[in-house]
Amino acid sequence: MKKNAVTNYVVHPLIEARWSPMAFEEQQISEQQIRSIFEAARWSHSTRNEQPWRFIVANRLSHPKVFKSILSALDETNQAWAVRSSVLAISFAKKNFDEDDSENRHAWYDVGLATAQLTMQASQYGISIHQMTDFDTEKVCSDFKVPENYEPVVSMAFGFVGNPKTLTAELEKKERAPRVRIPQPKFVFGKRWGSPFVG
Ligand SMILES: Cc1cc2nc3c(=O)[nH]c(=O)nc-3n(C[C@H](O)[C@H](O)[C@H](O)COP(=O)(O)O)c2cc1C
């Protein structure tokens, strides 16, 4: 199943094709592909080149215990479909700078940049990534003994898009629903706030 963006202007085909599925194929993601995906994160840009991103990653077939541990931290709705994903991961932000221990106000922003980048690298392999914020961050910190100066940002389910019929009726309806976006004039401004940009 495809849910390509219906764009008003030209975008890169990988951006057009990316979406967040819940139904996944029973297909393994190779270690090589996982490595490439996180290499894309590695080469993302960041404030002062601090690289404040960290990830815990579990391949369902090769690391079932870690996979289950991440899965158990997700809320019930996310667990229902993420259980069939091929890889689960959690991103973390390092809250302070290495150099002087001061607060890094942009750590989350940088983790988001790295995540966007790894998502596009995954897309190149036909792998979709569905991000989730509905998870128990305290459980994650305790189960994985996360140091105090790091905080969980987002959990992610990776996989190849599967048949929506494998989902519950409610989730299948959501899976098939059209993707919607606000139009550019509502968020790209020109002369003043709220006034649409004109080229
Ligand atoms: C930070 C973040 C948190 C999200 N949390 C959840 C979540 O907990 N459960 C879920 O089903 N989808 C979650 N999503 C997916 C969004 O709902 C989805 O990206 C959005 O509806 C746009 O759909 P698209 O990715 O298919 O374009 C999250 C996405 C992001 C970026």
Side-chain angles (χ1 to χ4, degrees), residues 3 18-22 75 78 81 130-135 154 174 179 181:
K3 276 179 82 168
R18 185 216 61 83
W19 64 291
S20 304
M22 291 180 283
D75 80 328
N78 286 329
W81 56 265
H130 192 147
Q131 298 186 44
M132 300 161 279
T133 38
D134 293 337
F135 67 104
V154 85
K174 218 173 145 192
R179 297 174 61 213
R181 291 297 191 269

Side-chain angles (χ1 to χ4, degrees), residues 130-188:
H130 192 147
Q131 298 186 44
M132 300 161 279
T133 38
D134 293 337
F135 67 104
D136 185 339
T137 53
E138 280 176 23
K139 178 169 166 47
V140 165
C141 288
S142 150
D143 288 357
F144 289 99
K145 300 188 171 38
V146 177
E148 192 272 323
N149 55 330
Y150 291 84
E151 53 190 353
V153 178
V154 85
S155 49
M156 296 174 263
F158 297 36
F160 296 91
V161 175
N163 186 342
K165 286 192 193 308
T166 57
L167 299 166
T168 61
E170 191 189 347
L171 291 182
E172 183 182 348
K173 196 171 161 206
K174 218 173 145 192
E175 188 87 328
R176 293 186 189 280
R179 297 174 61 213
V180 287
R181 291 297 191 269
I182 55 172
Q184 281 203 29
K186 295 228 162 153
F187 70 94
V188 185

Side-chain angles (χ1 to χ4, degrees), residues 52-72:
W53 46 76
R54 302 290 185 272
F55 300 94
I56 287 178
V57 185
N59 202 328
R60 180 159 56 85
L61 294 182
S62 47
H63 295 99
K65 259 180 91 176
V66 189
F67 185 93
K68 268 191 199 145
S69 186
I70 297 177
L71 187 70
S72 67

Side-chain angles (χ1 to χ4, degrees), residues 3 17 88 119 123 157:
K3 276 179 82 168
L88 282 175
T119 300
S123 295

Side-chain angles (χ1 to χ4, degrees), residues 6-23:
V6 181
T7 63
N8 292 335
Y9 302 94
V10 175
V11 297
H12 192 286
L14 289 179
I15 294 174
E16 194 173 284
R18 185 216 61 83
W19 64 291
S20 304
M22 291 180 283

Side-chain angles (χ1 to χ4, degrees), residues 22 24 27 52 72 75-76 78 88 109 111 126 149 191-192:
M22 291 180 283
F24 292 108
Q27 193 178 334
S72 67
D75 80 328
E76 266 182 38
N78 286 329
L88 282 175
Y109 180 87
V111 174
N149 55 330
K191 279 188 200 142
R192 69 188 84 84

Side-chain angles (χ1 to χ4, degrees), residues 35-44 114 117-119 121-122:
R35 291 282 176 207
S36 286
I37 288 167
F38 286 96
E39 190 69 9
R42 179 177 175 228
W43 285 100
S44 185
Q117 201 146 301
L118 73 85
T119 300
Q121 183 62 46

